[in-house]
Amino acid sequence: MLGKRSGLDGGDHPYLDHVGRDSFYGFLALHQGELFRDEDFAGLYCSDNGRPSVPPSLLATALLLQVHDGVSDEEAKARADFDLRWKVALGIGLEERPFAKSTLQLFRARLVLHERVRTVFQQSLSFARQTGYSRSRKLKVVLDTSHILGRGAVKDAYNLLGDGIRKLVQALAASAGRNPRNWAREHDLSRYFGSSLKGEAGIDWDDPEAREAFLQGVVADADRLLMVAREAMEKLSADEPLRQRVHEAAGLLVQLLMQDIERQMDGSRLKEGVSPDRMVSVHDPEMRHGRKSARRRFDGHKGAIAVDPGSQLITAADVLPGNAQDHERALELVEQAEANADVEVEETVGDCAYGDSETRQLFADAERKLVAKVAMRRGGAQFPKDDFQIDLESMSCTCPAGQQTQKVVSISSGERYGAPGVPLQAFRFDAAICDVCPLRPKCVRARPGKGRLVMLHPHEAVLQEARAFQHSDSFTPYRKLRQVAEHRLARLMQLGVRQARYVGRTKTLFQLLMAATVANLTLVATKTGLMRDRHRRKAQYSAHIWHLLSIPKSVRALFTARFACQSLAFRLHF
């Protein structure tokens, strides 16, 4: 059953002033009833059966404290038992032991399973509006991403296949009611239960023939095990949970074989290069290879956020695959921000990762404004397309040498630009003009006798409009707005988001949303603390005035200059 708070009121806690009303712990204590109510989590509990639970509002506050302090579940339980700051924030007495570690873990699992973590995150935005921290009726949102290192162990192809085989052995052994190691021993698969498949292989890894023979054996074991799995699933009913477990493990092993193994007539070999959507960890199958730049590679996920530049509140957050483009699901993120903040988003700002034509067209179709820089292609041997003046009204193109052409030719399908089936067009300059042009070595890559081609993008008009805007003075303020998202991402990294605490994107999203909640509440807590300090200083100033009026006039004159200076300083400050 749902348990409800019956402890101390945060504002009446005897140690509140000792901890500090302006601290994050004092802020949670003073506003515990406004942030979370037990009734908000009633759907996670049985309504008429069982013992009363630990109040969910207390557990939700404990999760925020855990993220704020960056501690484990064991340490969170210890701090709730013995740390005075946590006791004040939770509104409990010194002698109370509010929850067990398993209780906190179970509550987190319920939030993830029932997708209620967004409720906790949205509450930070609602509270910001209630306190007056966020008052705007329309928002600008700034989008940005940063990488999140995955929790699973990243391994090479050999050990990855070994982990896949072991996972399927465990599923088959469970379906047969056997111990996995004993089952593996009976099927001559014991080597996959060692510390490292490659480390215990005992072969010369510098010998190509030895490596190939070892790989052939691993692939043969995987194929044989898949046959056993197929026979086992035929004997299990379709609704049997163990059959589903075997099916998932077999599918995982098949995916590992397809992504890393190239089958040929004379045997199997490792594929050259990296598969586009390669799985890098069996322990976390949703991890992917990703890049933030040409030199920076990571293994894990991408965290995407939307930030209100006015209040610096994070209004939406999402977790993308590590190999996803930054602009993926950008429109969905804006829609989430609108729903979470309960206000209209009038403008979206992003860096050049959001400046591709497909994303612009997507926002235009949704009747939303997107401001993002168009990526410039520089550093090549030839003049880039940006150095040519394209007039779509007259359908003409002028080169850097001042030559103009209106000749438009069809090239091929627009699949490479995200518009399959759309024929690509290009301006072609006359070969006779290009051959005698002194700028030809910097412009034309083709052999003599062919003129320069300037491709026309399927969304050329949208891109031209964006380029013209970014070169105008009106674009200057948007350069500074993008920095707000970078600062909020840095704050999330301080709260531990750089390294995923859990396996899978769903739980990593929970971690990201909880960190965003703490980041938002910290901003609100800072403002409420400043406002409280401002009122206190005003009260002190008023007390000085009344005290000054109560003393004799002769004595009062001695302090006139001093209080005049203080009054001037006060007015300048406020």
Side-chain angles (χ1 to χ4, degrees), residues 40-182:
D40 297 335
F41 304 94
L44 305 180
Y45 299 89
C46 180
S47 59
D48 57 357
N49 191 19
R51 296 180 300 173
S53 67
V54 177
S57 60
L58 184 147
L59 294 174
T61 305
L63 288 176
L64 294 182
L65 291 169
Q66 182 183 22
V67 174
H68 181 268
D69 290 2
V71 297
S72 64
D73 292 340
E74 184 69 31
E75 180 63 20
K77 187 249 186 300
R79 294 199 179 194
D81 290 346
F82 307 112
D83 194 305
L84 181 61
R85 297 170 301 176
W86 280 51
K87 288 185 177 295
V88 170
L90 296 173
I92 59 176
L94 295 182
E95 73 286 350
E96 292 187 53
R97 304 292 184 264
F99 55 81
K101 181 176 74 171
S102 59
T103 304
L104 188 66
Q105 294 171 338
L106 181 59
F107 180 70
R108 181 193 299 118
R110 284 175 173 170
L111 289 178
V112 174
L113 182 63
H114 295 277
E115 299 181 352
R116 294 298 302 276
V117 65
R118 292 191 185 276
T119 304
V120 178
F121 171 68
Q122 289 169 354
Q123 188 59 28
S124 68
L125 299 175
S126 299
F127 184 75
R129 287 196 301 272
Q130 293 171 11
T131 58
Y133 183 83
S134 177
R135 299 180 179 178
S136 58
R137 297 181 180 180
K138 292 186 178 181
L139 289 182
K140 287 184 175 69
V141 294
V142 185
L143 307 182
D144 206 351
T145 65
S146 187
H147 64 278
I148 301 174
L149 302 177
R151 190 68 177 176
V154 180
K155 299 184 178 181
D156 61 11
Y158 296 98
N159 282 323
L160 208 57
L161 286 172
D163 287 349
I165 291 174
R166 178 164 55 186
K167 193 175 185 68
L168 183 53
V169 166
Q170 292 171 343
L172 290 170
S175 66
R178 303 285 304 281
N179 179 274
R181 292 184 178 273
N182 294 338

Side-chain angles (χ1 to χ4, degrees), residues 218-452:
V218 173
V219 173
D221 289 342
D223 291 339
R224 177 166 56 89
L225 190 60
L226 288 172
M227 291 294 295
V228 176
R230 187 176 297 110
E231 296 173 358
M233 285 191 293
E234 292 176 354
K235 298 177 183 179
L236 297 172
S237 59
D239 57 349
E240 179 70 31
L242 290 174
R243 186 184 188 279
Q244 180 65 22
R245 180 180 174 183
V246 173
H247 182 268
E248 291 177 356
L252 179 65
L253 182 55
V254 169
Q255 184 175 349
L256 294 174
L257 288 169
M258 293 178 63
Q259 73 179 16
D260 288 331
I261 302 302
E262 182 179 0
R263 298 182 184 267
Q264 299 178 350
M265 295 296 295
D266 56 345
S268 301
R269 292 180 176 83
L270 290 177
K271 287 184 177 179
E272 295 183 1
V274 180
S275 300
D277 196 39
R278 184 175 185 271
M279 185 188 305
V280 298
S281 174
V282 170
H283 304 94
D284 188 351
E286 293 183 325
M287 287 174 53
R288 292 294 182 268
H289 289 305
R291 289 188 178 275
K292 285 301 288 183
S293 66
R295 296 183 179 182
R296 291 181 60 192
R297 199 190 80 172
F298 66 92
D299 297 307
H301 322 281
K302 278 185 181 179
I305 62 170
V307 182
D308 170 23
S311 63
Q312 299 189 23
L313 292 173
I314 300 173
T315 55
D318 198 3
V319 175
L320 308 175
N323 58 350
Q325 299 293 326
D326 287 3
H327 58 76
E328 288 190 20
R329 301 214 295 261
L331 183 58
E332 289 85 345
L333 196 64
V334 173
E335 293 172 347
Q336 287 180 25
E338 201 167 58
N340 293 335
D342 195 24
V343 293
E344 179 186 349
V345 174
E346 62 178 355
E347 201 169 36
T348 304
V349 183
D351 55 22
C352 61
Y354 301 88
D356 62 294
S357 62
E358 289 77 21
T359 304
R360 294 182 188 278
Q361 192 62 50
L362 189 64
F363 272 74
D365 294 340
E367 297 182 351
R368 292 185 180 274
K369 182 179 180 180
L370 172 65
V371 178
K373 186 177 179 180
V374 181
M376 306 288 288
R377 292 179 174 85
R378 295 288 180 183
Q382 284 74 37
F383 290 128
K385 176 183 174 180
D386 298 333
D387 290 347
F388 291 77
Q389 299 178 11
I390 299 175
D391 188 344
L392 295 178
E393 293 185 2
S394 62
M395 285 303 291
S396 63
C397 179
T398 304
C399 73
Q403 298 294 334
Q404 188 181 84
T405 182
Q406 289 184 318
K407 185 178 181 180
V408 180
V409 295
S410 296
I411 303 297
S412 61
S413 171
E415 185 174 357
R416 61 176 290 192
Y417 292 103
V422 178
L424 281 181
Q425 293 182 320
F427 287 105
R428 181 184 289 280
F429 285 85
D430 188 78
I433 296 177
C434 290
D435 286 344
V436 298
C437 180
L439 298 180
R440 178 183 175 84
K442 297 181 180 180
C443 184
V444 184
R445 185 167 50 188
R447 64 180 183 274
K450 287 194 173 183
R452 170 68 186 259

Side-chain angles (χ1 to χ4, degrees), residues 175-201:
S175 66
R178 303 285 304 281
N179 179 274
R181 292 184 178 273
N182 294 338
W183 194 96
R185 190 180 305 111
E186 294 176 3
H187 291 79
D188 194 23
L189 297 170
S190 297
R191 63 174 175 168
Y192 298 102
F193 282 80
S195 59
S196 172
L197 179 62
K198 285 182 66 177
E200 298 177 358

